[in-house]
Amino acid sequence: MKILMGGGLLLGVALAQAAPLAGHELQLALQQLEESAMPVQVFRERVAALVAGQAHYPPEVQGRLARLQCWALPGERDEEFRRAVAFAEQGLAQARARKDRVTEVGLLACRGYHRQLLGNMAGAGEDYDAALTLARRLGDERQRADILSLRGEMYSYQGELAEGLMELIEAHKRFESLGQDGKAREVLAQIANAYRRMGLYERAEGYFKELEHDYGTLGDQERLVDIRSQQGLLYAEM
């Protein structure tokens, strides 16, 4: 994820000062949170600032906030994963009651991810499958790419390397076609690690070097450090 500079940085300051946003500013804030790559703490702070004013927003915006809030919840321990699952389930009931299918897709994906972290791979797979089917039906290409990357990474960790790699490559192509370069780079790192797990070290190394160059050019030190640590794992195995 990259730190948004310029207008994005000013928007972050405005959110922190926080009268409820409206119109174009609100749509821009939501779009940046949904599509841009940024540090986790920055993401959580911006989501929290918007959530503080959610009573002023229409149901469609509240649904988008619910999806973002689910991903912004702390996620380091089992009890936090369980709270995220419970949050997603509550949001799913509300989204289904108002027939908000776009929100339903996002909350299914979020619940699936946290089920996965709890070791419930069957439940996670069911959520990813349902979310992907619904995203296809809605023509929601961004969420479709998100779910493919989540499910592809799960397959890869489970040892279903070929299946996982195929889905990660598909997600990467979709993010690139949507112009979401930050998300595409994140998935490229997942692809590199999939190749590492498959023992295809030269191909993995090539992708890691590409990412190292890109993050260095962007001045994204957080991501650069992360990629270099992943390269260290690769070189330890080669």
Side-chain angles (χ1 to χ4, degrees), residues 16-219:
Q17 294 171 347
L21 298 180
H24 176 70
E25 280 190 339
L26 175 59
Q27 294 302 316
L28 178 60
L30 290 166
Q31 184 178 359
Q32 287 180 341
L33 288 165
E34 289 167 343
E35 298 182 2
S36 301
M38 63 183 70
V40 172
Q41 189 57 36
V42 173
F43 175 76
R44 287 174 173 164
E45 289 171 357
R46 293 190 182 187
V47 171
L50 285 175
V51 168
Q54 69 180 340
H56 300 274
Y57 301 137
E60 182 270 336
V61 171
Q62 291 190 27
R64 291 172 74 180
L65 277 176
R67 284 151 44 200
L68 291 165
Q69 195 175 2
C70 189
W71 290 109
L73 291 170
E76 296 177 359
R77 297 184 294 273
D78 282 359
E79 60 266 29
E80 292 172 336
F81 304 153
R82 284 190 284 269
R83 279 198 290 271
V85 169
F87 178 90
E89 288 174 347
Q90 182 181 11
L92 279 167
Q94 294 168 351
R96 287 164 175 162
R98 65 177 184 266
K99 295 181 170 54
D100 182 350
R101 302 306 183 205
V102 175
T103 296
E104 184 176 351
V105 171
L107 290 173
L108 280 168
C110 187
R111 184 177 69 177
Y113 176 73
H114 289 94
R115 281 178 161 179
Q116 178 184 337
L117 293 177
L118 286 165
N120 182 1
M121 298 303 183
E126 289 173 2
D127 280 344
Y128 291 152
D129 292 347
L132 191 57
T133 297
L134 187 53
R136 284 194 192 109
R137 197 160 74 222
L138 295 171
D140 190 332
E141 293 302 316
R142 184 188 58 76
Q143 290 204 94
R144 188 174 175 182
D146 279 333
I147 299 155
L148 284 167
S149 69
L150 290 167
R151 194 171 70 174
E153 185 74 348
M154 182 182 75
Y155 286 159
S156 182
Y157 274 117
Q158 287 181 300
E160 300 174 52
L161 298 175
E163 294 86 345
L165 182 61
M166 287 174 61
E167 297 217 332
L168 290 170
I169 290 172
E170 181 65 20
H172 182 259
K173 288 179 180 176
R174 289 179 181 278
F175 281 130
E176 282 198 320
S177 71
L178 291 166
Q180 295 184 20
D181 295 337
K183 291 285 188 76
R185 282 188 288 271
E186 289 181 351
V187 177
L188 192 61
Q190 294 174 318
I191 291 170
N193 277 308
Y195 280 124
R196 175 181 60 79
R197 295 186 192 106
M198 297 172 78
L200 298 173
Y201 298 128
E202 289 185 8
R203 188 165 293 184
E205 183 182 27
Y207 285 131
F208 281 134
K209 284 184 175 179
E210 179 182 338
L211 288 164
E212 184 180 29
H213 174 268
D214 288 349
Y215 287 130
T217 301
L218 290 166

Side-chain angles (χ1 to χ4, degrees), residues 193 196 208 225-238:
N193 277 308
R196 175 181 60 79
F208 281 134
V225 168
D226 184 53
I227 287 300
R228 285 175 174 166
S229 71
Q230 294 179 59
Q231 284 176 306
L233 291 174
L234 171 67
Y235 294 138
E237 294 180 14
M238 290 177 69

